[in-house]
């Protein structure tokens, strides 16, 4: 059976697009105009019966499958008992259990505590609240190419103007941006050299004593799957420890087995003071967390953290199902196996075309960066993949990166077919 039954978009998707244009604010975009009716591991089935190969996982969310049986079961079981009480009014066990598991899994052997929220941006906002409260300082150091969300504070923390910030200011103050370690584009600085460059700016322009936290994605997501040079994160961490600033790792895109380990920090032995998580945590339900050193998490007065829906019982049940699936199916191992399949293919492809400047990533978070710092080639490659029914996403400050975030449970044949199509799309574009 061929995967595509109609031209894309098919007639039912076109009908829905017409309805959408009358009802949905146009500021909310969609990468593909295909309306989804159901999903399986590695496949999205649209309303016209087209079966799309999913190499995006809804931006690194459905790592455990879509839906993973353990998630679906846990959600059904929970929703039949109760849907909400608000943990700040009358608590329930699922919230506590998720926090216990996150405390266990997050990097470091120290005592940890966790608070739950709804979205990644909300987790980042709360990590900054906690860091400021615990240190009594205000400055937040962030990096070029960083992405931390779309709320007011997280827009300020995010680097790229279009589409995230344009016209939405004024932005929150006390945010200071320094250069990232970006091996492909920073002239081959070593990790420690790149860290020294960032630290020098902070010391001169901000003052070490004013820094509440250094906030960093251990591998940048929206900014282009930038893997910093070895030693960069460690040097930042050592500087933070020496100066009394907190190191906050934003693991919202990299967390939960995505990079071949529970967290990307693990690869470098990085032990952040606070970790933000979301996305892959709950198999598609909205849930996010800040996990950190117990004494920092407990520095905030009672009632200072929370929200109506944060740690909703259905989302917590889903997270427990998702975490069980990650353990039972060894999804970190699955991510490493994906890396072992995909990276050699992408590297071989880079030998065949001078359009590709860099191939990088870890686990099932892999990317191709085109040499030209414009969205042109990546946009055309993505379009060709979409036309062939393969969901790939672009990213990067220059919009010139194709990123792959397949579900960690994707069957081998689907992954191989998706890669064949990506390869043809790249070899088919001309400068
Ligand atoms: C590293 C990182 N931080 C924060 C966010 C914001 O998460 P959310 O979209 O759930 O608010 C994202 C989302 O892409 C992200 O990748």
């Amino acid at each position: 059976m061929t995967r595509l039954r109609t031209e894309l978009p098919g007639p039912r998707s076109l009908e829905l697009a017409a309805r959408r244009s009358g009802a949905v604010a146009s500021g909310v975009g969609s990468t593909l105009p295909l309306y989804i009716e159901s999903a399986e591991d590695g496949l999205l089935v649209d309303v016209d019966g087209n079966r799309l190969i999913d190499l995006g996982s809804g931006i690194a969310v459905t790592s455990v499958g879509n839906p993973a049986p353990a998630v679906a079961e846990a959600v059904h079981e929970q929703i039949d008992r109760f849907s909400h009480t608000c943990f700040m009014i009358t608590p329930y066990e699922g919230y506590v259990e998720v926090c216990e598991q996150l405390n266990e899994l997050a990097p470091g052997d120290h005592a940890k505590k966790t608070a739950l929220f709804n979205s990644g941006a909300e987790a980042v906002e709360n990590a900054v609240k906690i860091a400021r409260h615990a240190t009594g300082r205000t400055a937040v150091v962030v990096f070029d190419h960083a992405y931390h969300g779309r709320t007011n504070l997280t827009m300020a923390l995010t680097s790229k103007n279009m589409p995230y910030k344009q016209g939405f200011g004024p932005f929150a103050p006390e945010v200071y941006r320094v250069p990232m370690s970006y091996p492909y584009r920073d002239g081959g600085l070593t990790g420690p050299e790149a860290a020294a460059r960032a630290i020098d700016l902070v010391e001169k322009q901000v003052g070490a004593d004013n820094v509440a936290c250094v906030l960093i994605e251990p591998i940048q997501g929206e900014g282009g799957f930038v893997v910093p040079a070895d030693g960069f994160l460690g040097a930042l961490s050592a500087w933070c420890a020496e100066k009394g600033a907190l190191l906050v790792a934003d693991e919202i895109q990299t967390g939960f087995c995505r990079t071949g380990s529970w967290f990307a920090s693990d690869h470098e032995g990085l032990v952040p003071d606070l970790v933000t998580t979301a996305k892959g945590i709950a198999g598609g339900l909205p849930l996010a967390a800040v996990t950190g050193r117990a004494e920092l998490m407990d520095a905030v007065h009672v009632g200072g953290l929370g929200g109506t829906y944060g740690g909703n019982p259905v989302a917590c049940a889903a997270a427990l199902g998702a975490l069980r699936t990650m353990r039972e199916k060894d999804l970190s191992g699955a991510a490493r196996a994906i890396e072992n399949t995909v990276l050699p293919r992408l590297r071989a492809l880079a030998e065949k075309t001078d359009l590709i400047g860099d191939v990088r990533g870890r686990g099932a978070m892999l990317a191709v960066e085109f040499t030209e710092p414009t969205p042109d080639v990546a946009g055309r490659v993505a379009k060709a993949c979409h036309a062939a029914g393969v969901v790939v996403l672009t990213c990067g400050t220059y919009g010139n990166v194709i990123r792959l975030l397949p579900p960690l449970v994707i069957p081998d044949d689907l992954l191989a077919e998706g890669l064949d199509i990506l390869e043809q799309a790249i070899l088919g574009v001309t400068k």
Side-chain angles (χ1 to χ4, degrees), residues 59-61 118-124 146-151 154 158 216-223 250-254 276 278-279 287-288 365 403:
I59 322 187
V61 171
N118 300 292
S119 67
E122 205 190 340
V124 173
Y147 181 87
H148 298 291
R150 296 168 179 268
T151 57
T154 57
T158 288
I216 189 159
E217 299 154 86
I219 297 177
Q220 289 184 321
E222 306 304 298
D250 181 344
E251 292 254 16
I252 286 166
Q253 194 153 158
T254 48
T276 56
K279 288 192 184 283
L287 188 70
M365 184 171 181
R403 57 171 154 172

Side-chain angles (χ1 to χ4, degrees), residues 360-384:
R360 58 176 178 257
R362 276 210 167 107
M365 184 171 181
L366 302 166
V368 167
E369 176 164 356
F370 297 101
T371 49
E372 290 296 319
T374 76
D376 176 50
V377 172
R380 285 189 285 141
V381 168
K383 258 200 161 136

Side-chain angles (χ1 to χ4, degrees), residues 50-423:
N50 297 304
R51 293 151 65 83
L52 316 168
I53 298 178
D54 182 13
L55 301 183
S57 303
I59 322 187
V61 171
T62 51
S63 308
V64 291
N66 196 1
V71 171
E73 209 174 286
V75 165
H76 287 304
E77 193 280 329
Q78 177 59 49
I79 196 88
D80 286 342
R81 286 191 296 121
F82 65 97
S83 56
H84 175 81
T85 63
C86 186
F87 191 76
M88 298 186 306
I89 308 298
T90 49
Y92 38 88
E93 185 177 351
Y95 189 117
V96 177
E97 174 77 29
V98 170
C99 293
E100 285 171 347
Q101 293 202 20
L102 293 181
N103 296 341
E104 181 68 37
L105 293 170
D109 297 331
H110 51 281
K112 284 167 244 158
K113 290 204 175 176
T114 291
L116 301 180
F117 304 97
N118 300 292
S119 67
E122 205 190 340
V124 173
E125 292 247 359
N126 278 279
V128 172
K129 280 169 64 175
I130 294 163
R132 286 179 169 158
H133 205 95
T135 60
R137 303 170 175 188
T138 54
V140 180
V141 173
V142 290
F143 292 83
D144 276 342
H145 315 289
Y147 181 87
H148 298 291
R150 296 168 179 268
T151 57
N152 186 267
L153 175 59
T154 57
M155 278 192 294
L157 301 170
T158 288
S159 163
K160 190 173 175 177
N161 180 50
M162 267 305 271
Y164 308 124
K165 302 167 79 163
Q166 174 64 32
F168 299 135
F171 302 112
E174 284 302 290
V175 173
Y176 300 93
R177 191 169 310 285
V178 294
M180 178 66 182
S181 165
Y182 191 157
Y184 176 58
R185 290 197 182 267
D186 69 7
L189 286 185
T190 65
E193 285 166 352
R197 175 178 65 172
I199 288 167
D200 186 54
L201 279 177
V202 175
E203 291 188 337
K204 295 217 171 77
Q205 298 184 8
V206 188
D209 292 349
N210 296 317
V211 178
C213 63
V214 172
L215 168 65
I216 189 159
E217 299 154 86
I219 297 177
Q220 289 184 321
E222 306 304 298
F225 283 23
V226 178
V227 185
D230 284 352
F232 179 71
L233 297 170
L236 292 177
S237 172
W239 181 85
C240 285
E242 188 192 327
K243 304 295 180 185
L246 306 188
L247 185 81
V248 183
D250 181 344
E251 292 254 16
I252 286 166
Q253 194 153 158
T254 48
F256 302 109
C257 309
R258 173 57 54 188
T259 66
S261 184
W262 278 102
F263 295 99
S265 296
D266 299 335
H267 297 291
E268 279 217 46
L270 185 72
V271 179
D273 298 296
L274 303 176
V275 180
T276 56
T277 52
K279 288 192 184 283
I281 189 175
L285 273 84
L287 188 70
V290 181
T291 301
R293 293 185 187 281
E295 68 279 13
L296 301 172
M297 296 297 293
D298 281 344
V300 178
H301 49 273
V302 174
L305 304 176
T308 306
Y309 293 114
N312 166 272
V314 182
C316 285
L320 295 173
L323 290 166
R324 200 169 73 236
T325 305
M326 291 174 208
R327 281 197 195 86
E328 284 176 2
K329 294 196 170 172
D330 181 20
L331 292 190
S332 287
R336 292 193 297 273
I338 289 173
E339 175 179 335
N340 290 336
T341 305
V342 178
L343 262 193
R345 282 196 64 172
L346 295 179
R347 291 205 171 113
L349 181 60
E351 297 293 311
K352 293 189 204 157
T353 166
D354 56 10
L355 291 174
I356 295 179
D358 195 24
V359 168
R360 58 176 178 257
R362 276 210 167 107
M365 184 171 181
L366 302 166
V368 167
E369 176 164 356
F370 297 101
T371 49
E372 290 296 319
T374 76
D376 176 50
V377 172
R380 285 189 285 141
V381 168
K383 258 200 161 136
C385 290
H386 299 166
V390 178
V391 179
V392 295
L393 310 174
T394 60
C395 65
T397 294
Y398 313 104
N400 66 337
V401 177
I402 294 277
R403 57 171 154 172
L404 303 178
L405 290 164
L408 305 181
V409 292
I410 191 169
D412 293 345
D413 56 336
L414 276 186
L415 181 62
E417 189 183 341
L419 290 173
D420 289 344
I421 289 168
L422 173 66
E423 195 168 301

